Every structure is written in C-alpha cells, then in structure tokens.
Amino acid sequence: MATLLGQPGDYRLLSPLDLAFVGDGVFDLLCRELLLRGGSCPVKKLHQRKTELVNCQAQARALEKLWPGLSEEERAVALRGRNAHVGHVPKNASTADYHGATALEALFGWLYLGGETQRLRELFQLIMDTAGAAEGV
C-alpha cells in the first residue's frame, strides 16, 4: 500500500463509511491541487471554486459519469458506499446526492488505500474533463 504514511494495513476490512472518510480527503486534495495549477489566486476564490467541485451534487454526478467505465470490483465498492447507513444527510443535499457522493468517496478511499494512485488520477481526470472543471481553473 502506497499511502502517505506508508504503513501497511488491511483496508479491505474497513467499512464503506471509513473508506468514504479517507476518500473525502483524497478527492478534496486532488481538487485543491488542480486549482493551484491555475496559478496564484486569492484563497477565498480558491475555496469557492473548490466548493463547486467538492459537494454532494457534483460528486454524485461524477459517479454517474464514471459508472460505465468502472470495473466490477470498483462498482462493488461504490455500491457498498452508496448503500451505507449514514447518520444524517446535510440540509443542503438530497438523500440521493448524499449517497452518491458517499459512494464516490468510498471508491476514492479504497483506491488510495490500495495504492492505486494511477487509477485515482485517471478517474479524477475523467471527472474534471466531463465536468469541464479543468477549463474553469
């Protein structure tokens, strides 16, 4: 496993919500890095742009776009994330979007903890290409 801490562990034993917890941070970091590629910008503007990319609606739409190209194993992880029993849904998100976002985050967490950084980059790029986010940076 090639994580930042480099400590091996059996990530397959983690719950889908644990995977989503990690995946949320991974997706957020990828978005921040993408935004910084656009050059220096006021932090407030960076935060606003990041929020457009990292929200339940955007992440749920992203998963829909990725779905046809996912492997069976990746789909299984995403389904576990989507079907996980979350404690609450934020008031600014629909239940369907929140579950879709959790599914995407679980997938990203699973890929990260499994050391699949190339696949992470590939999926993230597909998301940004289909969202047209890369041009707006």
Side-chain angles (χ1 to χ4, degrees):
M1 169 167 47
T3 64
L4 292 174
L5 291 178
Q7 297 177 358
D10 197 352
Y11 65 95
R12 292 168 295 178
L13 299 176
L14 296 175
S15 78
L17 293 178
D18 290 337
L19 294 173
F21 174 75
V22 172
D24 178 46
V26 171
F27 191 80
D28 188 84
L29 184 58
L30 287 166
C31 288
R32 288 170 187 254
E33 184 178 332
L34 175 72
L35 290 170
L36 288 177
R37 284 187 190 166
S40 186
C41 185
V43 174
K44 182 176 181 178
K45 192 165 199 140
L46 286 171
H47 179 72
Q48 289 170 338
R49 289 179 178 172
K50 189 225 21 134
T51 302
E52 292 170 7
L53 300 172
V54 184
N55 65 63
C56 291
Q57 286 181 322
Q59 289 177 317
R61 281 193 309 270
L63 182 66
E64 288 175 17
K65 303 281 189 207
L66 293 179
W67 195 259
L70 296 179
S71 70
E72 279 189 46
E73 196 173 20
E74 291 168 341
R75 285 183 184 186
V77 171
L79 284 173
R80 284 181 56 218
R82 188 177 71 193
N83 295 332
H85 296 290
V86 294
H88 75 286
V89 175
K91 62 183 173 187
N92 63 341
S94 74
T95 302
D97 284 345
Y98 192 71
H99 284 284
T102 303
L104 180 75
E105 291 169 351
L107 175 61
F108 271 57
W110 181 76
L111 290 169
Y112 170 76
L113 292 172
E116 299 289 334
T117 53
Q118 183 57 39
R119 182 65 171 155
L120 267 174
R121 287 187 201 105
E122 191 179 298
L123 293 179
F124 183 75
Q125 189 60 53
L126 282 170
I127 291 168
M128 293 302 116
D129 289 348
T130 59
E135 298 104 39
V137 176

